[in-house]
């Protein structure tokens, strides 16, 4: 057998698969100094196909999870990256080829893998109750050893996870330490069922409730506040018959309304209320909070889907301008008489991958991060490279924003906020961001002062290789690592 990847977008040039596992002890710091006091580990999840795809037209969301880690101590940064040994990865490695077919379509798989979990663990990696968990929204998470990145195995909350899936975007309530999460397509691919869970700070599921969405769709991210959880139903719709016919899992349907399903924290199906709005697209949530009555949800909102690999139901071509998302605030009056909600745009710049200072997750906040694709006051970068070219820090209350241009031939990944210590003031600390230096086929990890992301970096850490595209990541402290579960 010959191993050969397609000569197609997503598999060539800077996007070509790396398929490399390894470690570098003491990455080179090419600018500034990594503070001696900065101790902890930045974990990030990405997708890197271990084998050429089984079906044509596949895309990189449907690739094996590769976890990277950057461990900071005494001014040094040690790097390691390793594939997640999912059941799927192990089956394909044994066969030395892909056995699983199209994105979330088991009907396109090789018959030999029927019944094997299709999860890829490629979307997020987070810490809760002493466990490092790599996750993708179509399956239960996979526990990873936080030092070696070796795979421990599937984590189903000691078997208490009845849902077939668990979101890659759980929220940790910073005041209670609870993991608040859900699964969609919870009874199987394309089912409209949502399972809502809360696990206590020890990792034990203490609440479970089931809901049925108005229609089956991708519920990639959601909002959690002190008193509510909110499920956004956005019309990237799924359909079992289409899946069985070998069609795409999701299509964009511009004719359908969106819904926000609001449930009081730890509430059940009798307490869900669906708020309705006109057609639009949103994916990631920067943060959300409530005052007991009104819920505010900050999210980039666009006219159409931002995912070019999920086709428009009408056959219309992907429109990058309509796909631009503008950070906006949705406000729901939970005691109002209408089933509507309001939307207020917070910036004229388009962007995605919003994050906040997670110590203020679910509560009122004044610090957000977002990657930008378009800035009206700035000329488009002359290299013509698409993607995220700027990082912005925003105060959602005043809308004051500072920006940082990634540089020529450079694109940015999701940034994270890292507090220098747990009791540091809100928004005061570091921002870490991986920058792809595409012309040089390598990366930099920038350590920025969160209050001055537009200034000289605190340090620039050189990664001498090209890292496969990453999605989401999180910072884990030495105290958390010291309290690990087996
Ligand atoms: Fe995501």
């Amino acid at each position: 057998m010959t191993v050969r990847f397609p000569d197609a977008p997503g598999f060539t040039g800077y996007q070509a698969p790396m398929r490399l596992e390894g470690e570098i002890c003491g990455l080179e710091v090419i600018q500034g100094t990594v503070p001696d006091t900065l101790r902890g580990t930045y974990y990030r999840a990405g997708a890197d196909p271990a084998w050429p795809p089984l079906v044509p037209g596949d895309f990189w969301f449907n690739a094996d999870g590769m976890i990277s880690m950057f461990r900071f101590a005494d001014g040094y940064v040690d790097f390691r990256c390793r594939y997640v040994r999912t059941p799927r990865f192990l089956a394909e490695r044994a066969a030395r080829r892909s056995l699983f077919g199209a994105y979330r379509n088991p009907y396109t798989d090789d018959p030999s893998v029927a019944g094997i979990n299709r999860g890829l663990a490629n979307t997020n990696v987070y810490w809760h109750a002493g466990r490092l968990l790599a996750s993708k929204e179509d399956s239960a998470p996979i526990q990873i050893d936080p030092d070696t990145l070796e795979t421990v195995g599937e984590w189903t909350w000691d078997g208490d996870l009845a849902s077939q899936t668990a979101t890659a975007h759980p929220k940790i309530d910073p005041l209670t330490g609870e993991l608040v999460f859900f699964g969609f397509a919870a009874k199987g691919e394309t089912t409209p069922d949502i399972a809502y869970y809360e696990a206590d700070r020890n990792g034990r599921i203490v609440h479970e409730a089931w809901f049925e969405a108005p229609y089956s769709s991708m519920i990639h991210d959601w909002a959690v506040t002190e008193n509510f959880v909110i499920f956004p139903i956005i019309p990237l719709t799924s359909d079992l018959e289409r899946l069985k016919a070998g069609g795409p899992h999701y299509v964009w349907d511009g004719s359908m309304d969106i819904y926000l399903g609001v449930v009081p924290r730890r509430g059940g199906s009798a307490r869900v209320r669906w708020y309705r709005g006109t057609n639009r697209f949103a994916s990631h949530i920067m943060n959300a909070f409530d005052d007991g009555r009104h819920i505010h949800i900050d999210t980039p909102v666009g006219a159409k889907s931002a995912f070019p690999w999920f086709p428009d139901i009408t056959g219309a071509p992907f429109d990058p301008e309509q796909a631009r998302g503008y950070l906006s605030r949705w406000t729901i009056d939970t005691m109002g008489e209408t089933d509507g909600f309001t939307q207020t745009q917070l910036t004229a710049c388009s962007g995605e991958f919003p994050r906040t200072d997670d110590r203020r997750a679910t509560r009122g906040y004044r610090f957000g991060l977002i990657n930008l694709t378009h800035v009206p006051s700035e000329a488009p970068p002359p290299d013509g490279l698409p993607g995220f070219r700027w990082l912005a820090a925003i105060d959602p209350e005043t809308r004051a924003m500072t920006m940082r241009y990634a540089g020529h031939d450079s694109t940015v990944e999701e940034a994270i906020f890292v507090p220098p210590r747990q009791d540091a003031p809100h928004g005061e600390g570091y921002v870490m961001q991986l920058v792809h230096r595409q012309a040089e086929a390598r990366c930099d990890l920038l350590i920025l002062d969160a209050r001055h992301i537009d200034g000289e970096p605190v340090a620039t850490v050189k990664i001498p290789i090209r890292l496969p595209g990453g999605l989401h990541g999180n910072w884990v402290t030495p105290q958390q690592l010291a309290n690990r579960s087996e």
Side-chain angles (χ1 to χ4, degrees):
M1 288 284 285
T2 301
V3 177
R4 182 172 298 151
F5 283 87
D7 184 13
F11 297 98
T12 55
Y14 194 84
Q15 280 73 43
M18 279 292 285
R19 311 167 72 211
L20 186 71
E21 300 180 298
E23 60 181 276
I24 300 172
C25 187
L27 287 168
E28 184 184 2
V29 179
I30 57 175
Q31 175 270 323
T33 306
V34 176
D36 286 347
T37 52
L38 181 56
R39 290 175 180 274
T41 310
Y42 172 29
Y43 297 94
R44 72 183 261 286
D48 195 7
W51 302 100
L54 191 62
V55 299
D58 211 355
F59 50 90
W60 71 287
F61 270 20
N62 194 32
D64 300 278
M66 174 76 86
I67 305 300
S68 308
M69 62 184 270
F70 300 89
R71 178 155 291 174
F72 291 73
D74 304 323
Y76 293 106
V77 186
D78 295 333
F79 169 79
R80 186 183 292 261
C81 66
R82 193 162 171 83
Y83 275 118
V84 183
R85 265 59 179 174
T86 60
R88 172 175 176 157
F89 178 94
L90 294 172
E92 294 188 335
R93 174 158 283 200
R96 287 179 167 268
R97 69 181 185 93
S98 280
L99 298 170
F100 292 80
Y103 171 85
R104 294 191 73 166
N105 191 338
Y107 302 100
T108 59
D109 291 349
D110 187 288
S112 66
V113 295
I116 297 179
N117 191 325
R118 302 184 91 253
L120 289 158
N122 67 7
T123 310
N124 198 1
V125 55
Y126 60 91
W127 184 270
H128 186 251
R131 294 179 184 87
L132 184 66
L133 301 170
S135 69
K136 184 181 179 70
E137 64 198 10
D138 68 349
S139 48
I142 304 282
Q143 188 178 343
I144 303 293
D145 183 288
D147 296 329
T148 66
L149 298 184
E150 284 172 13
T151 298
V152 177
E154 187 182 60
W155 172 244
T156 58
W157 287 269
D158 284 327
D160 287 345
L161 182 74
S163 171
Q164 294 187 23
T165 63
T167 178
H169 285 289
K171 312 295 180 187
I172 294 171
D173 187 317
L175 296 191
T176 65
E178 293 159 314
L179 187 80
V180 189
F181 67 104
F182 72 103
F184 72 93
K187 292 183 180 175
E189 293 294 23
T190 76
T191 57
D193 303 280
I194 299 170
Y196 156 42
Y197 292 96
E198 301 221 7
D200 67 15
R201 59 169 63 242
N202 300 313
R204 189 173 60 89
I205 287 179
V206 291
H207 179 73
E208 176 179 359
W210 288 73
F211 308 92
E212 197 164 305
Y215 54 84
S216 297
S217 68
M218 173 191 269
I219 313 176
H220 179 66
D221 199 356
W222 68 327
V224 177
T225 69
E226 181 179 0
N227 295 301
F228 299 95
V229 298
I230 302 96
F231 304 102
I233 309 300
I234 309 285
L236 273 173
T237 61
S238 58
D239 176 75
L240 188 61
E241 293 310 310
R242 185 172 67 231
L243 212 57
K244 286 180 176 174
H249 192 113
Y250 293 113
V251 298
W252 172 251
D253 189 339
S255 73
M256 299 184 79
D257 284 347
I258 71 167
Y259 294 84
L260 301 176
V262 175
V263 187
R265 284 278 294 272
R266 301 207 181 185
S269 59
R271 301 189 67 190
V272 63
R273 183 170 173 189
W274 294 98
Y275 295 82
R276 187 169 183 166
T278 54
N279 182 267
R280 73 198 87 166
F281 177 80
S283 180
H284 290 117
I285 309 292
M286 178 175 275
N287 201 3
F289 57 98
D290 73 81
D291 62 11
R293 171 171 180 168
H294 301 92
I295 301 170
H296 305 287
I297 303 168
D298 294 346
T299 179
V301 180
K304 290 183 117 182
S305 163
F307 299 134
W309 40 83
F310 298 134
D312 191 298
I313 199 168
T314 66
F318 181 72
D319 181 344
E321 292 217 3
Q322 292 239 299
R324 284 179 184 163
Y326 299 90
L327 185 67
S328 303
R329 175 163 291 180
W330 287 340
T331 298
I332 301 165
D333 181 355
T334 62
M335 297 179 189
E337 294 183 356
T338 73
D339 68 350
F341 58 93
T342 64
Q343 176 175 313
T344 309
Q345 190 173 317
L346 302 181
T347 169
C349 304
S350 66
E352 243 293 347
F353 284 99
R355 289 295 297 259
T356 186
D357 174 346
D358 287 327
R359 296 171 304 163
R360 297 296 281 265
T362 74
R363 305 301 200 273
Y365 73 113
R366 300 289 300 272
F367 183 84
L369 295 164
I370 187 168
N371 289 341
L372 302 179
T373 54
H374 174 73
V375 179
S377 61
E378 304 278 317
D383 53 42
L385 203 62
F388 297 110
R389 305 304 305 271
W390 294 266
L391 168 68
I394 187 167
D395 178 341
E397 202 163 302
T398 65
R399 306 183 193 182
M401 200 160 96
T402 52
M403 282 188 312
R404 171 179 204 87
Y405 173 53
H408 199 73
D409 280 323
S410 299
T411 52
V412 292
E413 281 194 8
E414 178 191 73
I416 62 164
F417 173 83
V418 177
R421 52 184 196 287
Q422 269 312 105
D423 61 352
H426 176 42
E428 197 173 299
Y430 304 106
V431 168
M432 291 194 186
Q433 183 168 50
L434 200 70
V435 182
H436 292 272
R437 305 296 185 197
Q438 298 207 10
E440 299 172 52
R442 64 171 194 83
C443 302
D444 283 329
L445 180 64
L446 299 191
I447 318 300
L448 304 171
D449 179 341
R451 294 278 186 214
H452 305 284
I453 65 157
D454 50 345
E456 179 94 341
V458 175
T460 302
V461 181
K462 179 180 176 179
I463 299 131
I465 60 168
R466 180 168 61 80
L467 292 181
L471 288 161
H472 303 289
N474 289 289
W475 179 257
V476 178
T477 66
Q479 293 74 28
Q480 288 174 308
L481 287 173
N483 290 312
R484 69 184 66 180
S485 301
E486 292 309 319

